[in-house]
Amino acid sequence: MADATIRDVARRAQVSVASVSRVLNRLDNVSEETRARVTEAVRELGYVPHAGARSLSLARTNAIGVVLPDFHGEFFSEIVRGMDREASRRGYMLLLSNVHAGSEQSANAMRAMRGRVDGLVILAPHLSEDELADAVPRGTPAVLINTRGDAGGHPGVRLDNAAGAEAVADHLASLGRTRIVHIAGAAGNIDAQQRADAFRAALQRRGVAVQVIEGDFLEESGEAAIEALLKAGESFDGVFAANDMMASGALQALNRAGLRVPEDVAVVGFDDVPLARHIGLTTVQVHIAELGARALDRLISILEGKEDPGGQELHKPELVIRSTTDPKANPR
């Protein structure tokens, strides 16, 4: 059968075309039984791989596409730093794309990378599970960071937002704070939603009231939230901002109003970006760079044919106590 195709081999061996391709390309992620069946089918059919097609199937760009909702802010610079460090170590380069509008724009940005990169690392907490599944190009290996769902079975790396928010609730309650404000992240963002829901539930279990004000993860929104509360004559003794940048804005507003931190108002952030250490901010430490590096490590392992356990890998953050809640705390 001189004109046998790879599909003929797959039918004869009773395996998928992808399995035949892995055997022919001498990849490791194939069982010995499958390898033997494919090898026998190739021999029986006299199949000869097309050199040009095989070259295309093995073509690599040695580039990884990274899809982020924003390039601004220390969180994203840290996560890219972690990915870039791992990419350089493994011999890959990064191609960045910014998606922040709607699902259609996000899908177009991801599809534009197809053929230019070997795989994608996607951080799109603003997309729904269905939108994400539609946006990820079919056939392109991808690893997700802090997204809703798994977009059709793609592996992911996630932060345990609930554990971090609950640790903040425990800390503020242990300090005797009873009138607490939460400056939430942007509406529709999965990280913001998880942090707000867990924080509210944890305080309710302790009988502590919480007032939630929507922000947008930017420093200015934290500042504006506190200014609005003070202008309205609201009384509060604790503030938990959904990220460090909003916490920084809150600190500036409190300082201008002559309120002492932490004596009058305790302030906590989330992420532990480099700025947090400089201003003595109590915060939830995420190890952002490591989160990015781990996502890239999983993707490259998949690209190199190594077995990945699949599923969502959950990373638990740690509360770091500094001077905005404890004046005696040693900065670290």
Side-chain angles (χ1 to χ4, degrees), residues 317-331:
E318 173 191 5
L319 182 69
V320 177
I321 298 173
R322 299 192 180 107
S323 61
T324 58
T325 60
D326 181 357
K328 299 178 182 178
N330 294 318

Side-chain angles (χ1 to χ4, degrees), residues 44 99 118 154 182 256 267:
E44 291 176 353
V99 293
D118 297 332
H154 290 290
H182 175 51
R256 279 199 305 272
V267 178

Side-chain angles (χ1 to χ4, degrees), residues 9-38:
V9 174
R11 279 193 293 269
R12 177 66 65 93
Q14 296 184 324
V15 298
S16 68
V17 171
S19 293
V20 175
S21 178
R22 284 194 287 269
V23 172
L24 295 176
N25 292 328
R26 296 183 175 84
L27 299 180
D28 295 332
N29 56 339
V30 182
S31 70
E32 287 305 316
E33 179 187 357
T34 297
R35 192 180 302 279
R37 286 162 61 182
V38 170

Side-chain angles (χ1 to χ4, degrees), residues 4 36-37 45 57 62 70 72 84 94 110 115 120 130 146 154 162 165 167 183 186 194 200 218 228 233 260 280-281:
R37 286 162 61 182
L45 296 173
S57 71
N62 275 57
D70 201 344
H72 304 290
D84 184 59
L94 301 182
M110 292 186 210
L120 292 169
D130 289 341
N146 286 6
H154 290 290
I183 307 174
Q194 290 176 349
R200 186 188 295 110
L218 298 178
R260 299 170 302 160
L281 178 65

Side-chain angles (χ1 to χ4, degrees), residues 272-332:
D272 197 29
V273 299
L275 171 69
R277 293 186 282 279
H278 295 307
I279 62 177
L281 178 65
T282 294
T283 188
V284 178
Q285 190 175 67
V286 173
H287 299 293
I288 306 167
E290 285 71 15
L291 202 66
R294 178 57 187 149
L296 204 78
D297 177 65
R298 289 188 71 180
L299 177 61
I300 294 176
S301 293
I302 293 168
L303 294 176
E304 294 179 349
K306 298 173 184 176
E307 186 174 351
D308 184 89
Q312 305 298 305
E313 192 174 282
L314 194 64
H315 290 245
K316 189 172 182 178
E318 173 191 5
L319 182 69
V320 177
I321 298 173
R322 299 192 180 107
S323 61
T324 58
T325 60
D326 181 357
K328 299 178 182 178
N330 294 318
R332 64 185 178 96

